[in-house]
Amino acid sequence: MSDSDSIGRSRWWVFRRPLLKDWLFLVGVALGLAAIVRTIVQADQLGALTIVLNVLFAVPAGVLFAGILGGIIREYRRGKSTAAHI
């Protein structure tokens, strides 16, 4: 989806579709996977419930973080380029 196609879509969605072609979504998944690896490495220092919760929420948290931070930057750039064309 190009930036000009995204003008009519809902403003709460920052990822492009399909998701697997959006670098921002893939960065979020990579952050989540890195958090899972960190949890596994530190497993001897953490409790069982903490390990389970970290593994369950790592990828969604990574996607949320990348979506918020990267989405702010992406929407700013979209708005700036749209304003330049007006």
Side-chain angles (χ1 to χ4, degrees):
M1 176 183 291
S2 69
D3 289 338
S4 62
D5 294 339
S6 65
I7 293 172
R9 67 178 171 82
S10 296
R11 299 309 297 168
W12 63 270
W13 187 260
V14 297
F15 298 115
R16 294 187 178 125
R17 294 181 185 113
L19 288 176
L20 294 179
K21 291 186 178 183
D22 186 10
W23 66 269
L24 191 59
F25 180 77
L26 296 177
V27 166
V29 171
L31 287 172
L33 293 176
I36 290 174
V37 169
R38 185 198 57 174
T39 300
I40 292 170
V41 168
Q42 296 178 346
D44 58 339
Q45 301 171 359
L46 304 172
L49 180 62
T50 305
I51 292 171
V52 170
L53 290 176
N54 283 350
V55 170
L56 285 177
F57 293 117
V59 174
V63 171
L64 182 67
F65 178 76
I68 290 172
L69 184 61
I72 289 171
I73 295 167
R74 179 182 280 174
E75 291 298 319
Y76 174 76
R77 290 180 60 213
R78 284 179 183 166
K80 197 171 183 177
S81 68
T82 303
H85 290 107
I86 294 178

